[in-house]
Amino acid sequence: MTALSGTTIIETAERVCGEWTARLLADFGAEVIKVERPGGSPTRCFGPPLANGASAVFAYANTGKKSVVLDLETPEGRAALERLLARADALIDDHTPAWCARRALGPEDLTARFPRLVHCHITPFGQDAPADMARAFPINIAAAGGWAWHTPSESDDRDPPLMGASPFMPDFDTGYDAALATAASLFHQRRTGEGQAIDLSEVAVQLSRADVVLGRVLAGDDEPSHSRRRYDMGGPGRVFACADGHVHLIMTTARHWRGLLGLMGDPAWGQEFPEDWLEFHCTPDRVATFREHFRSWVADKPRDVITHEAHRRGVMLAPVNLAPDLFANPQYRHRGFFQALEGIDTPAAPYRMTASPARLTRPAPEPGADDREIAA
């Protein structure tokens, strides 16, 4: 059995954050019934497209779910949803409080009608935010949460902030926290029979990710300031071009420095640096000098060969992978991370559980694919 076998979750979400939350719970074996408007969820139109024309974003965030089409603008649609909630263990929603209130799906309404139900409400700033802060795009969330100010890494204060690694990164971050809170609430529900409302703020999730920086400041390893470099790891590391792609280097200790010198064949210029320069003498001039020498050395080196040798020497030099590199990665293949769903390699769970393994059971559904089954 999977961890959440026998658990039924209704998902009325129409954004990536709510859909990803429910996808994570489906990976644990929960029956997730996705309630879609006539015509399907808006995320079905998000790019990029797969070979069959379907949205890759939708396919990724909705594997393992069932789909039922209900028009919640009609009494019949709302009555059908009411019947689903009456037998469900949890609800995942990511609409505005006003949208939920008009459909009697607000926290107070649900608690009164379904005291055993766990219901997770995902909003940009929380349920008690002013009405004009009730809607936001992922780029707004990244900006309001502070992360956009620090991207790209080592930005000049005069440069405009960028989105970051993905246009949906704040959604995925939010989904992890929402799934964790929902799973914990389901555990409480099983022990006590009580449901509860979860009020999750997307911007607060972004703020919570700043703990890595706050920890360095509190430990005295960094000084608080408005610099955009506060989130950087420090040291001379960055992305460097090599013969067949790029590599990313992080180097912060004397051990890293000794390993890298060995990787490079102990060049004469390396003797000009104190052995502990990364920890106590990491000046801008030394950083610039190191980068100039390393950039020249790595330019004609094959990416995978030097990164494998670097790992053997304890140097944190990693290949900058493209999507095809990840699919071909022998370690991911060894772990069975990609699972075939209708002929498409699909990313599965990054963890293994011996007693209740996570499995991908079905691809993202077509709109209303399970109407007949759910009605029965």
Short mmCIF file of all heavy atoms in Angstrom, two decimals, residues 147-162 226-232 238:
data_model
loop_
_atom_site.label_atom_id
_atom_site.label_comp_id
_atom_site.label_asym_id
_atom_site.label_seq_id
_atom_site.Cartn_x
_atom_site.Cartn_y
_atom_site.Cartn_z
N TRP A 147 13.02 37.27 -3.36
CA TRP A 147 13.97 36.47 -4.12
C TRP A 147 14.35 37.12 -5.44
O TRP A 147 15.48 36.95 -5.92
CB TRP A 147 13.42 35.07 -4.36
CG TRP A 147 13.62 34.21 -3.16
CD1 TRP A 147 12.69 33.92 -2.20
CD2 TRP A 147 14.82 33.56 -2.74
NE1 TRP A 147 13.23 33.12 -1.22
CE2 TRP A 147 14.55 32.88 -1.52
CE3 TRP A 147 16.09 33.48 -3.28
CZ2 TRP A 147 15.49 32.14 -0.85
CZ3 TRP A 147 17.05 32.74 -2.60
CH2 TRP A 147 16.74 32.08 -1.40
N ALA A 148 13.44 37.85 -6.07
CA ALA A 148 13.76 38.46 -7.36
C ALA A 148 14.90 39.46 -7.23
O ALA A 148 15.70 39.64 -8.16
CB ALA A 148 12.52 39.15 -7.94
N TRP A 149 15.01 40.10 -6.08
CA TRP A 149 16.06 41.09 -5.87
C TRP A 149 17.44 40.44 -5.94
O TRP A 149 18.43 41.09 -6.29
CB TRP A 149 15.87 41.77 -4.52
CG TRP A 149 16.93 42.77 -4.16
CD1 TRP A 149 17.79 42.72 -3.10
CD2 TRP A 149 17.22 43.99 -4.84
NE1 TRP A 149 18.60 43.82 -3.09
CE2 TRP A 149 18.28 44.63 -4.15
CE3 TRP A 149 16.71 44.63 -5.98
CZ2 TRP A 149 18.83 45.85 -4.54
CZ3 TRP A 149 17.25 45.84 -6.38
CH2 TRP A 149 18.29 46.44 -5.66
N HIS A 150 17.52 39.16 -5.65
CA HIS A 150 18.80 38.47 -5.58
C HIS A 150 19.05 37.57 -6.79
O HIS A 150 19.93 36.71 -6.75
CB HIS A 150 18.88 37.65 -4.30
CG HIS A 150 18.78 38.49 -3.08
ND1 HIS A 150 19.85 39.16 -2.54
CD2 HIS A 150 17.73 38.83 -2.30
CE1 HIS A 150 19.47 39.85 -1.48
NE2 HIS A 150 18.19 39.65 -1.31
N THR A 151 18.28 37.77 -7.87
CA THR A 151 18.54 37.00 -9.08
C THR A 151 18.81 37.96 -10.23
O THR A 151 18.15 39.00 -10.34
CB THR A 151 17.33 36.11 -9.44
OG1 THR A 151 16.16 36.90 -9.54
CG2 THR A 151 17.12 35.03 -8.40
N PRO A 152 19.75 37.67 -11.09
CA PRO A 152 20.64 36.51 -11.00
C PRO A 152 21.68 36.68 -9.91
O PRO A 152 21.89 37.78 -9.40
CB PRO A 152 21.31 36.48 -12.38
CG PRO A 152 21.33 37.90 -12.80
CD PRO A 152 20.05 38.50 -12.26
N SER A 153 22.34 35.59 -9.55
CA SER A 153 23.36 35.65 -8.51
C SER A 153 24.45 36.65 -8.87
O SER A 153 24.81 36.81 -10.04
CB SER A 153 23.97 34.25 -8.33
OG SER A 153 24.93 34.24 -7.31
N GLU A 154 24.96 37.32 -7.86
CA GLU A 154 26.02 38.32 -8.00
C GLU A 154 25.58 39.49 -8.88
O GLU A 154 26.37 40.07 -9.62
CB GLU A 154 27.29 37.69 -8.56
CG GLU A 154 27.84 36.58 -7.68
CD GLU A 154 29.24 36.15 -8.08
OE1 GLU A 154 29.85 36.78 -8.94
OE2 GLU A 154 29.72 35.17 -7.51
N SER A 155 24.33 39.86 -8.81
CA SER A 155 23.83 40.98 -9.60
C SER A 155 24.37 42.30 -9.09
O SER A 155 24.59 42.49 -7.90
CB SER A 155 22.30 41.02 -9.57
OG SER A 155 21.76 39.83 -10.06
N ASP A 156 24.54 43.22 -10.01
CA ASP A 156 24.84 44.60 -9.64
C ASP A 156 23.55 45.27 -9.20
O ASP A 156 22.47 44.98 -9.72
CB ASP A 156 25.45 45.34 -10.84
CG ASP A 156 25.96 46.72 -10.44
OD1 ASP A 156 25.11 47.64 -10.36
OD2 ASP A 156 27.17 46.87 -10.22
N ASP A 157 23.64 46.17 -8.23
CA ASP A 157 22.44 46.83 -7.72
C ASP A 157 21.71 47.62 -8.80
O ASP A 157 20.52 47.92 -8.67
CB ASP A 157 22.80 47.77 -6.57
CG ASP A 157 23.18 47.01 -5.30
OD1 ASP A 157 23.03 45.77 -5.31
OD2 ASP A 157 23.60 47.64 -4.33
N ARG A 158 22.40 47.96 -9.87
CA ARG A 158 21.77 48.72 -10.95
C ARG A 158 21.03 47.84 -11.95
O ARG A 158 20.28 48.32 -12.78
CB ARG A 158 22.83 49.55 -11.69
CG ARG A 158 23.46 50.63 -10.82
CD ARG A 158 24.72 51.19 -11.46
NE ARG A 158 25.76 50.16 -11.55
CZ ARG A 158 26.98 50.38 -12.03
NH1 ARG A 158 27.31 51.59 -12.47
NH2 ARG A 158 27.87 49.40 -12.07
N ASP A 159 21.26 46.53 -11.87
CA ASP A 159 20.60 45.62 -12.82
C ASP A 159 19.17 45.34 -12.39
O ASP A 159 18.87 45.27 -11.19
CB ASP A 159 21.37 44.29 -12.87
CG ASP A 159 22.74 44.44 -13.49
OD1 ASP A 159 22.95 45.43 -14.21
OD2 ASP A 159 23.61 43.58 -13.23
N PRO A 160 18.27 45.13 -13.35
CA PRO A 160 16.89 44.76 -12.98
C PRO A 160 16.85 43.33 -12.49
O PRO A 160 17.65 42.49 -12.91
CB PRO A 160 16.12 44.90 -14.30
CG PRO A 160 17.16 44.65 -15.35
CD PRO A 160 18.45 45.24 -14.81
N PRO A 161 15.94 43.01 -11.56
CA PRO A 161 15.82 41.62 -11.10
C PRO A 161 15.24 40.74 -12.19
O PRO A 161 14.45 41.19 -13.02
CB PRO A 161 14.87 41.74 -9.90
CG PRO A 161 14.08 42.98 -10.17
CD PRO A 161 15.00 43.92 -10.90
N LEU A 162 15.63 39.47 -12.16
CA LEU A 162 15.10 38.49 -13.09
C LEU A 162 14.22 37.51 -12.34
O LEU A 162 14.20 37.46 -11.11
CB LEU A 162 16.25 37.74 -13.78
CG LEU A 162 17.20 38.60 -14.60
CD1 LEU A 162 18.28 37.74 -15.24
CD2 LEU A 162 16.47 39.38 -15.68
N HIS A 226 21.70 45.73 2.49
CA HIS A 226 20.75 45.72 1.39
C HIS A 226 21.38 45.17 0.10
O HIS A 226 20.76 45.21 -0.95
CB HIS A 226 20.22 47.13 1.13
CG HIS A 226 19.39 47.67 2.25
ND1 HIS A 226 18.15 47.17 2.56
CD2 HIS A 226 19.63 48.65 3.15
CE1 HIS A 226 17.65 47.84 3.60
NE2 HIS A 226 18.54 48.74 3.97
N SER A 227 22.61 44.67 0.19
CA SER A 227 23.30 44.20 -1.00
C SER A 227 22.57 43.02 -1.62
O SER A 227 22.07 42.13 -0.93
CB SER A 227 24.73 43.77 -0.64
OG SER A 227 25.32 43.08 -1.73
N ARG A 228 22.53 42.97 -2.92
CA ARG A 228 21.91 41.86 -3.63
C ARG A 228 22.76 40.59 -3.55
O ARG A 228 22.34 39.53 -3.99
CB ARG A 228 21.70 42.23 -5.09
CG ARG A 228 20.70 43.36 -5.26
CD ARG A 228 20.56 43.78 -6.69
NE ARG A 228 19.85 42.79 -7.46
CZ ARG A 228 19.54 42.94 -8.74
NH1 ARG A 228 19.89 44.04 -9.37
NH2 ARG A 228 18.89 42.00 -9.39
N ARG A 229 23.96 40.70 -3.01
CA ARG A 229 24.84 39.54 -2.90
C ARG A 229 24.64 38.79 -1.59
O ARG A 229 25.37 37.83 -1.31
CB ARG A 229 26.29 39.99 -3.03
CG ARG A 229 26.59 40.62 -4.39
CD ARG A 229 27.97 41.27 -4.40
NE ARG A 229 28.19 41.95 -5.67
CZ ARG A 229 28.89 41.45 -6.67
NH1 ARG A 229 29.44 40.27 -6.54
NH2 ARG A 229 29.03 42.12 -7.79
N ARG A 230 23.68 39.19 -0.76
CA ARG A 230 23.50 38.54 0.54
C ARG A 230 23.11 37.07 0.39
O ARG A 230 23.35 36.28 1.29
CB ARG A 230 22.42 39.26 1.35
CG ARG A 230 22.77 40.66 1.83
CD ARG A 230 24.02 40.68 2.66
NE ARG A 230 25.22 40.94 1.85
CZ ARG A 230 26.44 40.81 2.29
NH1 ARG A 230 26.69 40.38 3.50
NH2 ARG A 230 27.46 41.07 1.50
N TYR A 231 22.49 36.70 -0.73
CA TYR A 231 22.03 35.32 -0.89
C TYR A 231 23.09 34.46 -1.59
O TYR A 231 22.90 33.28 -1.79
CB TYR A 231 20.75 35.27 -1.71
CG TYR A 231 19.51 35.64 -0.94
CD1 TYR A 231 19.51 36.61 0.05
CD2 TYR A 231 18.31 35.00 -1.20
CE1 TYR A 231 18.36 36.95 0.74
CE2 TYR A 231 17.15 35.32 -0.52
CZ TYR A 231 17.18 36.29 0.46
OH TYR A 231 16.04 36.62 1.13
N ASP A 232 24.21 35.05 -1.99
CA ASP A 232 25.25 34.29 -2.69
C ASP A 232 26.05 33.46 -1.69
O ASP A 232 26.19 33.81 -0.52
CB ASP A 232 26.18 35.24 -3.45
CG ASP A 232 25.43 36.01 -4.54
OD1 ASP A 232 24.38 35.52 -4.98
OD2 ASP A 232 25.88 37.10 -4.91
N ARG A 238 31.41 30.39 -9.73
CA ARG A 238 30.36 30.86 -10.62
C ARG A 238 30.25 29.87 -11.78
O ARG A 238 30.88 28.82 -11.78
CB ARG A 238 30.66 32.27 -11.13
CG ARG A 238 31.85 32.34 -12.06
CD ARG A 238 32.18 33.77 -12.49
NE ARG A 238 31.02 34.60 -12.71
CZ ARG A 238 31.09 35.92 -12.90
NH1 ARG A 238 32.25 36.54 -12.84
NH2 ARG A 238 30.01 36.63 -13.13
#
